[in-house]
Amino acid sequence: MFTEALPPVFRQWRARLAGLLLGLTAAAAQAQGWPVAGKPITIVSAYPAGGFSDVIARVLGERLTEKLKVTVVVENRPGGGGQIAASHVKQQPADGHTLWLGDVGPFATSRHLYNKLSYDMQNDFVGVARLTLTPVLLVVPADSPLRSFDALVQESRSGEQGLLYGSQGTGLGSHLFTELMQRQVGGRLVHVPYKGSVPALQDLATGRIQFMWDNAVTSAPFVRDGRLRALAVRATKRMAEFPDVPTLAELGHPQLNNSMLWGGLVARAGTPPAVVQRVADEFLAALRHPATLKRFADLHLEAAPLGPADFQRFLVAEDEKWGRAVRETQIRIE
């Protein structure tokens, strides 16, 4: 009786409000359903065990296991500039139970480098959260005659053969950055790609290659135990553990100094927004846990949280930034 007496416009707004509330209730219920009891959460890394994203995934996985009482599995699927990891995640259900933890290489540079790429970050995945930042060290063998960044540059200019440098893989961050460095400072550098940081650092320590840019998570232990020596750092300030190692800005190359390595989490496109938000909330809570912050500080990882919307905007900005860098260096991968 009362409903019929309402003017049509009020009945329409009430119907819309009821529909909105129903939708919000359904979304909340869907989010509350993550994680599904008895179903593991899988975090995929595009690098071998012991690498940058692998370390982050395992530390956060421990926190999530404690809080959510679910099994968290870390799967290492290296190779192809992230294509092997991406292809696997794309084949899994869009339910927030299979996530990809990666960095600037597969998330921002690969699509500009490869003539054919098996995935599209903008259409196949959705940003969940940015998690960390870490300094990047320029390292050489401990017994290298190169004692400074300038000495390395001069050596690369002096001989026809050039200097051999390693990377975590063709088209990944260290490869592209070193090519940018060569464009800025000159000299001749020869790329030797590896499958991840650890095998490259091991060969560097034995002198098979001559230098490498690598994140502090994996390179700092080699410097700490005397197998490698650090000549420079890409960071906003010097590292407390290595106070004698200057930043690139201090060395007169501020244009090369804005590239700390970041790590973030994405899910398969089509994952319900409420689930994406719930996943982000849980991972960022794990990131802020005191035990995580202490462990990350020991590893030279800085918590740098961004939620889904902000991380998605960050991914777009990084894509544009590194797209320009690829065009400048003219690197292409068949």
Side-chain angles (χ1 to χ4, degrees), residues 111-145:
R111 86 175 188 94
H112 300 286
L113 291 165
Y114 285 83
N115 290 326
K116 292 183 180 179
L117 196 65
S118 62
Y119 67 96
D120 182 335
M121 280 302 300
Q122 296 183 11
N123 294 314
D124 294 335
F125 300 97
V126 59
V128 175
R130 190 182 72 178
L131 301 169
T132 60
L133 295 171
T134 188
V136 182
L137 288 166
L138 173 62
V139 286
V140 298
D143 60 356
S144 171

Coordinates of all heavy atoms in Angstrom, one line a residue, residues 111-145:
R111 N 57.2 -6.4 -22.5 CA 56.3 -6.2 -23.7 C 56.9 -5.2 -24.7 O 56.5 -5.2 -25.9 CB 54.9 -5.7 -23.2 CG 54.8 -4.2 -23.0 CD 53.3 -3.9 -22.7 NE 53.1 -2.4 -22.7 CZ 52.6 -1.7 -23.7 NH1 52.4 -2.4 -24.9 NH2 52.4 -0.4 -23.6
H112 N 57.8 -4.4 -24.3 CA 58.5 -3.4 -25.2 C 59.7 -4.1 -25.9 O 60.2 -3.6 -26.9 CB 58.9 -2.2 -24.4 CG 57.8 -1.4 -23.8 ND1 56.9 -0.7 -24.5 CD2 57.4 -1.4 -22.5 CE1 56.0 -0.2 -23.7 NE2 56.3 -0.6 -22.5
L113 N 60.2 -5.2 -25.3 CA 61.4 -5.8 -25.8 C 61.2 -6.9 -26.8 O 62.0 -7.1 -27.7 CB 62.2 -6.3 -24.6 CG 62.8 -5.3 -23.6 CD1 63.3 -5.9 -22.4 CD2 64.0 -4.6 -24.3
Y114 N 60.1 -7.7 -26.5 CA 59.9 -8.9 -27.3 C 59.0 -8.6 -28.6 O 58.0 -7.9 -28.4 CB 59.2 -10.0 -26.5 CG 60.2 -10.6 -25.5 CD1 60.4 -10.1 -24.3 CD2 60.8 -11.8 -25.8 CE1 61.3 -10.7 -23.4 CE2 61.6 -12.5 -25.0 CZ 61.9 -11.9 -23.7 OH 62.7 -12.5 -22.9
N115 N 59.4 -9.1 -29.7 CA 58.6 -8.9 -30.9 C 57.3 -9.7 -30.7 O 56.2 -9.3 -31.2 CB 59.3 -9.4 -32.1 CG 60.5 -8.5 -32.5 OD1 60.4 -7.3 -32.3 ND2 61.6 -9.1 -33.0
K116 N 57.4 -10.8 -30.1 CA 56.2 -11.6 -29.7 C 56.2 -12.0 -28.3 O 57.2 -12.6 -27.8 CB 56.1 -12.9 -30.6 CG 55.9 -12.6 -32.1 CD 55.8 -14.0 -32.8 CE 55.6 -13.7 -34.3 NZ 55.5 -15.0 -35.1
L117 N 55.2 -11.7 -27.5 CA 55.1 -12.0 -26.1 C 53.8 -12.7 -25.9 O 52.8 -12.4 -26.4 CB 55.2 -10.7 -25.3 CG 55.5 -10.8 -23.8 CD1 56.9 -11.3 -23.6 CD2 55.3 -9.4 -23.1
S118 N 53.9 -13.8 -25.0 CA 52.8 -14.7 -24.8 C 51.8 -14.1 -23.8 O 50.8 -14.8 -23.6 CB 53.3 -16.0 -24.3 OG 53.9 -15.9 -23.1
Y119 N 52.0 -12.9 -23.3 CA 51.0 -12.3 -22.3 C 51.0 -10.8 -22.5 O 51.9 -10.2 -23.1 CB 51.4 -12.7 -20.9 CG 52.7 -12.1 -20.4 CD1 52.7 -10.9 -19.6 CD2 53.9 -12.7 -20.6 CE1 53.8 -10.3 -19.1 CE2 55.1 -12.1 -20.1 CZ 55.0 -11.0 -19.4 OH 56.2 -10.4 -18.9
D120 N 49.9 -10.2 -22.0 CA 49.7 -8.8 -22.1 C 49.4 -8.3 -20.7 O 48.3 -8.6 -20.1 CB 48.6 -8.5 -23.1 CG 48.3 -7.0 -23.2 OD1 48.7 -6.2 -22.3 OD2 47.8 -6.6 -24.2
M121 N 50.3 -7.6 -20.0 CA 50.1 -7.2 -18.7 C 48.8 -6.4 -18.5 O 48.1 -6.5 -17.5 CB 51.3 -6.4 -18.2 CG 52.5 -7.2 -17.8 SD 52.2 -8.4 -16.4 CE 51.6 -7.3 -15.1
Q122 N 48.5 -5.6 -19.4 CA 47.4 -4.7 -19.3 C 46.0 -5.4 -19.4 O 45.0 -4.9 -18.9 CB 47.5 -3.5 -20.3 CG 48.7 -2.6 -20.0 CD 48.7 -1.5 -21.0 OE1 47.8 -1.2 -21.7 NE2 49.9 -0.8 -21.0
N123 N 46.0 -6.5 -20.2 CA 44.8 -7.2 -20.4 C 44.7 -8.5 -19.7 O 43.6 -9.0 -19.4 CB 44.5 -7.4 -21.9 CG 44.3 -6.1 -22.6 OD1 43.6 -5.2 -22.2 ND2 45.0 -5.9 -23.8
D124 N 45.8 -9.2 -19.4 CA 45.8 -10.5 -18.8 C 45.9 -10.5 -17.3 O 45.5 -11.5 -16.7 CB 46.9 -11.3 -19.4 CG 46.8 -11.6 -20.9 OD1 45.6 -11.6 -21.4 OD2 47.8 -11.8 -21.5
F125 N 46.3 -9.4 -16.7 CA 46.5 -9.3 -15.3 C 45.9 -8.1 -14.7 O 45.7 -7.1 -15.4 CB 48.0 -9.5 -14.9 CG 48.6 -10.8 -15.4 CD1 49.3 -10.8 -16.7 CD2 48.4 -11.9 -14.7 CE1 49.8 -12.0 -17.1 CE2 49.0 -13.1 -15.2 CZ 49.7 -13.1 -16.4
V126 N 45.7 -8.1 -13.4 CA 45.2 -6.9 -12.7 C 46.2 -6.7 -11.5 O 46.5 -7.6 -10.8 CB 43.8 -7.1 -12.2 CG1 43.6 -8.3 -11.3 CG2 43.3 -5.8 -11.5
G127 N 46.5 -5.4 -11.2 CA 47.4 -5.1 -10.1 C 46.7 -5.4 -8.8 O 45.6 -5.0 -8.6
V128 N 47.4 -6.0 -7.9 CA 46.9 -6.3 -6.5 C 47.6 -5.3 -5.5 O 46.9 -4.6 -4.8 CB 47.2 -7.8 -6.1 CG1 46.7 -8.0 -4.7 CG2 46.4 -8.7 -7.0
A129 N 48.9 -5.4 -5.5 CA 49.6 -4.5 -4.5 C 51.1 -4.4 -4.8 O 51.7 -5.4 -5.3 CB 49.5 -5.1 -3.1
R130 N 51.6 -3.2 -4.7 CA 53.1 -3.0 -4.6 C 53.5 -3.3 -3.2 O 52.9 -2.9 -2.3 CB 53.6 -1.6 -5.0 CG 55.1 -1.6 -5.2 CD 55.5 -0.2 -5.6 NE 55.5 0.7 -4.4 CZ 55.9 2.0 -4.5 NH1 56.3 2.5 -5.6 NH2 55.7 2.8 -3.4
L131 N 54.7 -4.0 -3.1 CA 55.1 -4.5 -1.8 C 56.4 -3.9 -1.3 O 56.5 -3.4 -0.2 CB 55.3 -6.0 -1.8 CG 54.0 -6.8 -2.2 CD1 54.3 -8.3 -2.5 CD2 53.0 -6.7 -1.1
T132 N 57.5 -3.8 -2.2 CA 58.8 -3.5 -1.7 C 59.6 -2.6 -2.7 O 59.3 -2.6 -3.9 CB 59.6 -4.7 -1.4 OG1 59.7 -5.5 -2.6 CG2 59.0 -5.6 -0.3
L133 N 60.6 -2.0 -2.1 CA 61.7 -1.4 -2.9 C 63.0 -1.9 -2.4 O 63.1 -2.2 -1.2 CB 61.6 0.2 -2.8 CG 60.4 0.9 -3.4 CD1 60.5 2.4 -3.0 CD2 60.4 0.8 -4.9
T134 N 64.0 -1.9 -3.2 CA 65.3 -2.3 -2.7 C 66.4 -1.6 -3.6 O 66.2 -1.4 -4.8 CB 65.5 -3.9 -2.8 OG1 66.7 -4.2 -2.1 CG2 65.5 -4.4 -4.2
P135 N 67.5 -1.3 -2.9 CA 68.7 -0.7 -3.7 C 69.2 -1.7 -4.7 O 69.1 -2.9 -4.5 CB 69.7 -0.3 -2.6 CG 68.9 -0.3 -1.3 CD 67.8 -1.3 -1.5
V136 N 69.9 -1.2 -5.7 CA 70.6 -2.1 -6.6 C 72.1 -1.8 -6.7 O 72.5 -0.6 -6.8 CB 70.0 -1.9 -8.1 CG1 70.6 -2.8 -9.1 CG2 68.5 -2.1 -8.0
L137 N 72.9 -2.8 -6.5 CA 74.4 -2.6 -6.4 C 75.1 -2.9 -7.7 O 74.7 -3.9 -8.4 CB 74.9 -3.5 -5.3 CG 74.6 -3.1 -3.8 CD1 74.9 -4.2 -2.9 CD2 75.4 -1.8 -3.4
L138 N 76.1 -2.1 -8.0 CA 77.0 -2.5 -9.1 C 78.2 -3.2 -8.4 O 78.9 -2.7 -7.6 CB 77.6 -1.2 -9.7 CG 78.7 -1.4 -10.7 CD1 78.2 -2.2 -11.9 CD2 79.2 0.0 -11.2
V139 N 78.3 -4.5 -8.8 CA 79.3 -5.4 -8.1 C 80.3 -6.0 -9.1 O 80.0 -6.2 -10.3 CB 78.6 -6.5 -7.4 CG1 77.9 -6.0 -6.1 CG2 77.5 -7.2 -8.2
V140 N 81.5 -6.2 -8.6 CA 82.6 -6.7 -9.4 C 83.2 -7.8 -8.5 O 83.0 -7.9 -7.3 CB 83.7 -5.7 -9.8 CG1 83.0 -4.6 -10.7 CG2 84.3 -5.1 -8.6
P141 N 84.1 -8.7 -9.1 CA 84.8 -9.7 -8.3 C 85.6 -9.0 -7.2 O 86.2 -7.9 -7.5 CB 85.6 -10.4 -9.3 CG 84.9 -10.3 -10.6 CD 84.3 -8.9 -10.6
A142 N 85.8 -9.6 -6.1 CA 86.6 -9.0 -5.0 C 88.0 -8.7 -5.5 O 88.6 -7.7 -5.0 CB 86.6 -10.0 -3.8
D143 N 88.6 -9.5 -6.4 CA 90.0 -9.2 -6.8 C 90.1 -8.5 -8.1 O 91.1 -8.4 -8.7 CB 90.8 -10.6 -6.9 CG 90.1 -11.5 -8.0 OD1 89.0 -11.1 -8.5 OD2 90.7 -12.6 -8.2
S144 N 89.0 -7.8 -8.5 CA 89.0 -7.1 -9.7 C 89.9 -5.8 -9.6 O 89.9 -5.2 -8.6 CB 87.5 -6.6 -10.1 OG 87.5 -5.7 -11.1
P145 N 90.6 -5.5 -10.7 CA 91.4 -4.3 -10.7 C 90.6 -3.0 -10.7 O 91.1 -1.9 -10.5 CB 92.3 -4.4 -11.9 CG 91.5 -5.3 -12.8 CD 90.8 -6.3 -11.9

